[in-house]
Each structure stands twice: as C-alpha cells, then as structure tokens.
Amino acid sequence: MGLNGEVTTPRATDEVVDLVSRLIRFDTSNTGEPETTRGEADCAKWVAQQLEEVGYVTEYVESGQPGRGNVFARLAGPADSDRGALLVHAHLDVVPAAAEDWSVDPFSGAIRDGYIWGRGAVDMKDMAGMALALARQFKRDGVVPPREIVFAFLADEEAGGTWGSQWLVEHRPDLFEGITEAVGEVGGFSLTVDRPDGEIRRLYLVETAEKGLSWMRLTAEGRAGHGSFLHEENAVTEIASAVARIGAHTFPLVMTESVAQFLAALSEETGLEFSPDTPDLETALFKIGNLARIIGATLRDTANPTMLSAGYKANVIPQRAEAVIDCRVLPGRQAEFEATIDELIGPNVRREWITHLDAVETTFDGHLVDAMNAAILAHDPQGRTVPYMLSGGTDAKAFAKLGIRCFGFSPLRLPPDLDFAALFHGIDERVPVDAVLFGTDVLEHFLLHC
C-alpha cells in the first residue's frame, strides 16, 4: 500500500531476488545423459504457476523426453502492429555441482554478502528470474509493449539443446510463429576499463555472434593381440598420435566483424592498441582482465582433446581406440576447419560429429540494438554497448535456423574486480544482488522500447 493508502502492485525489483533464489533451489542438473539428468519439469511447472497467477495463458511442453519441461507465454503488443514478436529466452537446466567443493549448498539459493549463491546464478537463472519478474509486472500492470513478447523458459541448453531448443524448433515451430528477433544469455554484462583521461568506461558486451559448437569422435581400429608381440597396427598409437597433433596445432588468427568491432571500441576507450597487427594479441588482451579468456578464444578456431578411451587389460592390444575433441569454429570457417582436421588425423583415423551446431552471427545495428544502448545509458551514463562474439554456445543456435535474429542481452553491472568468466560452471557460482536489480531495471526499459 502506498503512502496515501492507495493499493500498489509489486514491482519486478521487489521480487526478482527471491525469484532467482527460488529458481536455484530447483536442482535441474543436466549431465548430458537422459538417464541421469534430473529434468526441468518441476522447475518449469513452477514457472508456469508464477505466470498463470498473474493471468498468463501458458503452454507447457516436454521436448522429446519425459521431464524435459519448457514453458511459453505471450504478452500481446498493439493490435495494429506489423512488427514481428520478440523472444526473451532463458534455460532452466544447469551443469552439475559437487556440494563438497562449495562453501555453500549449491542448490540453496543463499543470499549473503551481497550475492545470490548457487548453481545457475549466472548461467542462467539470474536472467530467468529477471524475465519472470518483468513478465509478472507487465501483466499485473496491463502493459502493452511496443511489440508482442514471447517469454520462453527452456530445457537442455547445457547439453546442446537436443532435448530442448533444437527439438522445439524441429517439432514445434508453431511456438515461434511471428518471432523475428530474440534476446538471451551471456551478453549485456559490464567490463570496466580505464580511459586515458583518468575516467572509467563500462562496456556492456552484447553478444552478436557465437562460434560453432561441435563435439567430434575420433576412432582408430587395428588388430587385437598379445601385448608382448611386435605390432605394426596399434589403435592406441594411432589415436594418441592424432590427438597429440590436434592438441599441438594452432589455427590461424581470423578477424570476424563482431570481434573487430569489439577490439576497435576497446582501443578507442582505453587508448591501447588491440588490432590484428598487435604483436601477440591474445597476450595483450589480458590487460583488460580475466575476460580475455573469452575474447581470446574468439580470435581463432579451437580443437581441444577432452576424452580418451582404449583397452581393457594391460597385456592386450585393443582392436579399437577412441577420443573426443571439443571443436569451436568461427563463422564461415567450417570447411577450412574440417580440411585441417583431416590433415592432422591422417588416413587411419575416422572422425564423426557427436554434436554439430553451426556458428551464428548478426550485425550490431537496427532498432533493437538502439533500444539496448538507450536502456543501458538510462541507468548507467558511463556505459556503452559494444558487440562481441561468445566462444561457447547458447540456444540461439537453434532459433537462428528459423531466421530469428539473435542477441545475448542479459544486463548486469558487475564489480570491476569480479572474475565473471570464472563463475560460469565454476565453484561458488554467484551473482551480485545489485547487478540483478540493475539488470531488471535495464531489461524493463529495453522491453518497453524494443
């Protein structure tokens, strides 16, 4: 109730911290294996209840596997609008967490020391909570946004979306009818840099591109036999040699448009030189802090061996040996990347894709980008939005197949000394309370002007 006795409705910022905390309390750990993944059903159904409580008609969909719950709700725009709808998406699954490694219960959603703690706090139940809080506020207030907004809370992003966004795009494209643009995770967070004039600038990194995500299995076969004999064919030797060559290979530096624009803005703000001609550019990037690990990984393709499997007894030469390589490929580089891999593995090793999701990229322009920048500046006059490329992947890879233009914009104003990159999938994952409140305000401004 207001000061004069009038009835007031809760604002998104009044409940967003509690919503994020409650979302974290749902253990939605995704192991990548359907038989051991807990599933998102309980969490998704709770989200649906929060939306229905304020008047939404929701659709709950299980995406090809029991328990892989997804929730959709639409907020209508002007009846006479000819603009496409905007998708606001967040995934509800999280990577597993070993409780013994944490200083708090990873599924407690604890609020202490100015942070919300727990698995998913930054990846990405913070954005899910902000979207949910704003969806509730808009419905309570009878808001008609400038275009239709589709809120989607999704399953299985942490395993590539096979039983989430990828399944939904293939089997339920009707859920995305009329959508032309989308905003999701791993963008809109701040990077504080020092300017030559002694002032600071907070750069808010809007994700406009993602590297391709491909997990590749290598297989070598030979003749089984006794470990004491001489063997010209040894599957273990073949696979080990191929893996060593891949692991030691450095792919060429390639400057994509998103990365070039980011580096140009960084040079302009800091007065330092970050360009393709900068000697040892990857090392130079560490002048901006730990985020250099993400930015540096977008300068070239990567292929990192992650798994090896061979043999069952010390004195038996196995017939088969396998390895798994985590490949991240820049936009437009897939053919060249595969040709290089084929040269590295040689003729006696076979490769196949376990998961293969293409790179995506859009331009940093248009009304939606203007609305993002205006929203940031309205709440942080020292801010500036800049494009960047994500070295990982998100559900945008699925939505791009439908021709949807995708951005990462989950706004957070972060402390300058916070190692934000380390929090993704890290121990003691947490998000500042102030950052969530700031992000909710920015996201509200953006959605009211999108």
Side-chain angles (χ1 to χ4, degrees):
M1 185 165 295
L3 294 176
N4 299 318
E6 73 274 12
V7 176
T8 59
T9 58
R11 312 308 297 163
T13 49
D14 294 333
E15 62 177 4
V16 66
V17 172
D18 180 61
L19 290 174
V20 174
S21 175
R22 292 174 73 179
L23 285 164
I24 291 170
R25 290 177 222 166
F26 288 94
D27 183 351
T28 52
S29 297
N30 187 346
T31 65
E33 301 294 335
E35 60 271 17
T36 55
T37 291
R38 296 181 183 274
E40 300 83 357
D42 290 344
C43 186
K45 290 175 181 177
W46 179 81
V47 168
Q49 290 174 354
Q50 306 312 304
L51 293 168
E52 291 165 1
E53 180 181 87
V54 294
Y56 282 95
V57 175
T58 67
E59 183 163 1
Y60 173 82
V61 181
E62 292 201 342
S63 44
Q65 289 280 342
R68 310 316 299 264
N70 306 265
V71 174
F72 290 79
R74 288 181 175 250
L75 181 64
D80 60 350
S81 175
D82 59 357
R83 299 183 61 200
L86 175 70
L87 175 66
V88 179
H89 60 97
H91 64 84
L92 298 176
D93 64 318
V94 299
V95 296
E100 61 271 18
D101 296 333
W102 287 55
S103 61
V104 300
D105 179 345
F107 297 101
S108 65
I111 302 170
R112 75 177 199 192
D113 302 327
Y115 285 81
I116 310 169
W117 297 68
R119 177 59 84 219
V122 299
D123 188 13
M124 63 173 298
K125 289 181 176 177
D126 56 345
M127 176 63 167
M130 290 191 285
L132 181 57
L134 286 166
R136 284 166 56 86
Q137 175 185 305
F138 290 166
K139 198 68 170 179
R140 284 191 299 257
D141 292 352
V143 167
V144 178
R147 63 197 293 189
E148 183 179 35
I149 299 174
V150 180
F151 294 97
F153 302 85
L154 305 168
D156 199 38
E157 189 275 344
E158 295 293 359
T162 301
W163 304 114
S165 60
Q166 299 286 341
W167 188 95
L168 293 164
V169 163
E170 181 178 354
H171 297 277
R172 291 294 309 275
D174 57 295
L175 293 167
F176 306 94
E177 184 177 353
I179 295 171
T180 57
E181 294 175 304
V183 292
E185 64 176 323
V186 205
F189 57 90
S190 66
L191 167 66
T192 303
V193 298
D194 295 319
R195 289 175 49 85
D197 60 8
E199 299 295 320
I200 65 164
R201 176 78 74 203
R202 276 182 288 271
L203 302 178
Y204 288 85
L205 280 61
V206 176
E207 187 216 297
T208 54
E210 296 179 4
K211 295 177 80 173
L213 186 159
S214 301
W215 296 329
M216 181 173 60
R217 179 183 289 114
L218 302 180
T219 304
E221 295 183 345
R223 183 178 300 173
H226 200 286
S228 67
F229 296 164
L230 296 174
H231 291 272
E232 294 181 0
E233 297 179 16
N234 188 318
V236 175
T237 301
E238 288 285 357
I239 208 73
S241 297
V243 167
R245 288 192 294 270
I246 290 173
H249 182 75
T250 300
F251 288 87
L253 187 147
V254 177
M255 193 59 59
T256 59
E257 184 63 25
S258 296
V259 175
Q261 287 183 298
F262 170 78
L263 294 178
L266 188 62
S267 297
E268 179 184 333
E269 294 292 348
T270 63
L272 302 173
E273 181 65 25
F274 298 102
S275 75
D277 299 324
T278 302
D280 196 2
L281 177 56
E282 283 125 320
T283 299
L285 280 170
F286 278 95
K287 296 174 184 176
I288 68 172
N290 291 312
L291 197 65
R293 287 175 292 178
I294 293 178
I295 305 303
T298 64
L299 298 175
R300 61 183 81 242
D301 303 327
T302 58
N304 289 312
T306 55
M307 299 174 69
L308 284 169
S309 176
Y312 55 89
K313 198 171 187 295
N315 62 347
V316 177
I317 302 294
Q319 186 175 359
R320 176 190 297 262
E322 295 183 345
V324 174
I325 314 294
D326 185 342
C327 306
R328 308 296 173 122
V329 185
L330 293 168
R333 282 273 307 166
Q334 190 66 36
E336 292 87 346
F337 176 84
E338 292 187 21
T340 300
I341 289 294
D342 288 339
E343 290 180 11
L344 292 171
I345 64 177
N348 298 324
V349 175
R350 184 175 71 254
R351 66 172 174 85
E352 59 183 322
W353 297 120
I354 304 169
T355 295
H356 179 63
L357 302 174
D358 290 332
V360 296
E361 187 168 26
T362 189
T363 53
F364 188 63
D365 56 14
H367 177 79
L368 202 67
V369 169
D370 292 341
M372 292 177 194
N373 193 57
I376 290 292
L377 290 177
H379 296 278
D380 185 0
Q382 292 178 298
R384 174 183 175 180
T385 54
V386 296
Y388 91 111
M389 179 185 292
L390 179 65
S391 59
T394 74
D395 284 325
K397 285 180 166 47
F399 306 139
K401 294 178 181 178
L402 297 175
I404 296 172
R405 191 180 183 211
C406 298
F407 298 88
F409 188 65
S410 177
L412 298 170
R413 184 168 64 195
L414 301 170
D417 58 348
L418 181 66
D419 187 355
F420 187 57
L423 297 177
F424 285 84
H425 300 184
I427 295 171
D428 284 343
E429 183 180 350
R430 61 199 182 278
V431 63
V433 169
D434 287 346
V436 170
L437 296 175
F438 170 85
T440 304
D441 284 336
V442 170
L443 202 59
E444 177 184 13
H445 188 288
F446 167 69
L447 293 177
L448 292 177
H449 298 84
C450 64

